[in-house]
């Protein structure tokens, strides 16, 4: 059995590649941590590093990156389109294999405590790790951004951080740490140029509209065709195969066919296994039957 | 990119577990070889060891096992229900990842040459590695078994081995080495107790009956219900999802539903990825998007 956690810290540096690399490298040096992905955006002036490993290794890797980012990024000079409150802006832990969301909440608390104590950065906990209802959503925690929070944190008790003092770190600002489930980005393209059909279907299948649990969906026009673009925020509740079938059914009612679908970015093997079990009624099929998984246990 | 080959040698020892373990251990000692599975059958008096690794490591692992089996098994005393011609009876190489069937044919020839030269065992090449049309099928190569081949090999030129002398090894007999594609064992259970329906569907979908390429199928009654039991000998031609849909269609014509399906034993990640691509029209989806695969590259 493998115990694997993913962590995707977002840093407020998207222009100086040498700094971005230094941040990622400080995680790569930690034994048991793999840096899987590195993305940056100049207009957002923001980067994100995807690391994976055992829970303790990932905790250490995330801390090392935050430490490096604290040294390299000065929020007083930071400008970018994306909302942010600190040099290390947000740090989500994601359970991958053999680890529960609860354990990722424990990791969030450990990291938050360490960051507040050793780096003197105030930390807010969000999503599954949130201690207050109004901190579940990242947007709420980031309200006012670096500039606004700098004042609010000292005078507004409702903005008191979960760990650390009620005072911004002079250059690194504040940080949001938390835990969430693995998110699968999944798009279904329809054989119509009428974007309203995608919007209608999105409205029907998304959780907010009384549709599928854990599904966020919007209708867009992409490459000339209507697309239902989804975030599946809990694939154990609604996996991509179920989303596909739900859209297929709604599309059929509207006399539209599915052109194709796109799994965007990475997904855990378990999502493929579960879709196979459901689609082919293969109730006994387990990820241990996948050769590649067995090879590296 | 990983270069992975599987090898599943079959040995004529299924009763003495200490001997079976010694054989498997001689492969486990080779760096880069993983012993994934060990199976034995007392009535067949036969065992099989599944090893996986890089091509050169697996070649060496297979050779070490054959060497150990040659020391431990005496074919003059061997009795068992399963057809066999030697202590190491048959050694198939199977391409798993980044390796072609052709490269497994090359491996077969290397191993055959080494076994003939160093262990003095005559070797026949079969399946994709066969040098003669009448040696493609294992049953043809094994005709007469150990006892019959002992005489035939010396006097019948058509039974001359591909490597080594035309004379059985006194205790280890002869060995068959070759290359084949990965085989997926897949069963579809029907919601009927009428086995004739399973037999009818099997006859229609199997390659022999003009059905799906690379599909061997039989109808059985299992647990009181009709089952279409398949070997998919080339999942790149016909994968389990396509077999499922073909059976679903035939069953529908006969007014029967599918109860469930079973993927039996292991399968490569690529089979899951391809079934996802086909079933959900996800043409761009690649195995590199599966987190677990990326982790161990």
């Amino acid at each position: 059995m493998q115990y694997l956690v993913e962590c995707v810290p977002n840093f407020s540096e998207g222009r100086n590649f040498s700094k971005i690399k230094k941040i990622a490298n400080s995680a790569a040096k930690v034994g048991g941590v793999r840096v899987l992905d590195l993305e940056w955006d100049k207009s957002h002036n923001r980067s994100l590093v995807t690391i994976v490993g055992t829970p303790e290794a990932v905790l250490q890797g995330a801390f090392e990156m935050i430490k490096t980012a604290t040294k390299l990024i000065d929020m007083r000079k930071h400008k970018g389109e994306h909302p942010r409150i600190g040099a290390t802006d947000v740090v989500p832990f994601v359970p991958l294999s053999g680890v529960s969301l609860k354990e990722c909440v424990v990791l969030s608390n450990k990291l938050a405590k360490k960051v507040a104590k050793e780096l003197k950065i105030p930390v807010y906990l969000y999503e599954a790790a949130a201690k207050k209802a109004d901190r579940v959503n990242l947007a709420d925690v980031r309200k006012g951004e670096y500039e606004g929070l700098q004042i609010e944190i000292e005078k507004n008790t409702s903005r008191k951080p979960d760990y650390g003092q009620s005072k911004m770190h002079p250059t690194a600002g504040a940080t949001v740490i938390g835990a969430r489930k693995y998110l699968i980005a999944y798009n279904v393209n329809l054989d119509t140029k009428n974007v309203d059909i995608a919007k209608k279907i999105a409205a029907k299948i998304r959780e907010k509209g009384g549709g599928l649990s854990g599904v966020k969906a919007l209708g867009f026009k992409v490459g000339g065709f209507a697309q239902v673009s989804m975030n599946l925020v809990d694939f154990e509740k609604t996996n991509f195969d179920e989303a596909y079938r739900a859209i297929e059914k709604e599309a059929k009612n509207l006399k539209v066919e599915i052109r194709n679908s796109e799994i965007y970015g990475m997904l855990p093997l378990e999502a493929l296994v579960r879709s196979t079990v459901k689609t082919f009624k293969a109730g006994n099929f387990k990820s241990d039957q996948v050769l590649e998984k067995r090879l590296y246990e």
Side-chain angles (χ1 to χ4, degrees), chain A:
Chain A
M1 189 61 172
Q2 298 172 87
Y3 297 92
L4 288 177
V5 167
E6 183 187 66
C7 186
V8 193
N10 291 225
F11 302 98
S12 294
E13 176 57 69
R15 292 167 190 170
N16 185 328
F17 186 62
S18 130
K19 287 186 183 179
I20 296 168
K21 257 196 113 173
K22 272 183 194 154
I23 293 169
N25 279 345
S26 55
K29 279 181 202 152
V30 176
V33 168
R34 285 269 327 232
V35 176
L36 275 198
D37 199 22
L38 188 58
E39 285 178 44
W40 62 97
D41 186 286
K42 284 188 180 173
S43 64
H44 287 177
N45 197 9
R46 186 178 180 85
S47 52
L48 54 95
V49 187
T50 305
I51 65 171
V52 177
T54 57
E56 285 304 315
V58 165
L59 175 68
Q60 189 60 30
F63 179 78
E64 294 301 329
M65 286 199 281
I66 298 169
K67 199 170 154 184
T68 306
T70 304
K71 283 179 200 155
L72 299 179
I73 301 169
D74 187 346
M75 288 306 291
R76 292 170 303 186
K77 297 173 190 162
H78 183 270
K79 280 193 170 57
E81 281 168 32
H82 199 285
R84 77 288 178 268
I85 57 169
T88 302
D89 191 51
V90 54
V91 185
F93 286 98
V94 181
L96 284 189
S97 162
V99 174
S100 68
L101 186 62
K102 249 188 187 165
E103 290 170 87
C104 286
V105 170
V106 173
L107 278 182
S108 305
N109 278 277
K110 277 190 191 176
L111 181 63
K113 196 174 173 182
K114 197 170 160 76
V115 165
K117 195 180 165 196
E118 298 182 28
L119 306 177
K120 312 288 176 212
I121 298 170
V123 178
Y124 298 88
L125 294 175
Y126 86 122
E127 288 259 355
K131 290 182 193 292
K132 297 175 181 178
D134 63 353
R135 291 185 183 177
V136 171
N137 284 318
L138 187 54
D140 294 334
V141 181
R142 253 184 334 215
K143 211 169 58 188
E145 294 198 38
Y146 170 75
E147 292 76 8
L149 185 59
Q150 209 165 18
I151 299 154
E152 288 288 308
I153 194 172
E154 295 185 25
K155 65 171 198 188
N156 187 343
T157 53
S158 79
R159 304 298 298 270
K160 189 180 176 301
D162 293 298
Y163 286 91
Q165 289 187 301
S166 292
K167 191 174 171 41
M168 290 291 240
H169 182 285
T171 57
T175 292
V176 195
I177 296 175
R180 59 164 172 79
K181 293 200 175 183
Y182 197 90
L183 184 153
I184 297 174
Y186 187 54
N187 300 327
V188 173
N189 298 304
L190 304 174
D191 202 12
T192 175
K193 301 188 176 203
N194 183 355
V195 67
D196 290 338
I197 290 182
K199 286 183 177 169
K200 205 177 278 180
I201 293 176
K204 196 136 186 199
I205 64 153
R206 66 183 164 229
E207 185 167 20
K208 262 193 179 171
L212 301 166
S213 178
V215 174
K216 296 178 179 186
L218 288 170
F220 291 113
K221 200 163 182 177
V222 177
F225 286 91
Q227 175 184 84
V228 183
S229 178
M230 290 167 282
N231 277 337
L232 310 176
V233 302
D234 188 350
F235 73 84
E236 293 181 16
K237 283 191 182 144
T238 302
N239 202 350
F240 68 87
D241 62 307
E242 297 162 294
Y244 182 96
R245 284 188 291 265
I247 292 171
E248 193 177 42
K249 195 182 148 201
E250 298 299 333
K252 209 176 177 183
N253 289 340
L254 300 165
K255 311 229 177 296
V256 168
E257 299 276 315
I258 289 177
R259 278 168 65 84
N260 56 46
S261 78
E262 309 167 345
I263 294 167
Y264 192 78
M266 286 191 281
L267 88 176
L269 177 60
E270 191 58 28
L272 280 189
V273 169
R274 281 174 186 252
S275 74
T276 302
V277 166
K278 265 244 162 95
T279 306
F280 304 105
K281 301 181 186 172
N284 294 322
F285 183 53
K286 298 266 179 299
S287 61
D288 285 339
Q289 288 174 260
V290 179
L291 262 165
E292 281 83 349
K293 178 157 190 242
R294 286 282 305 278
L295 284 181
Y296 300 105
E297 270 177 356

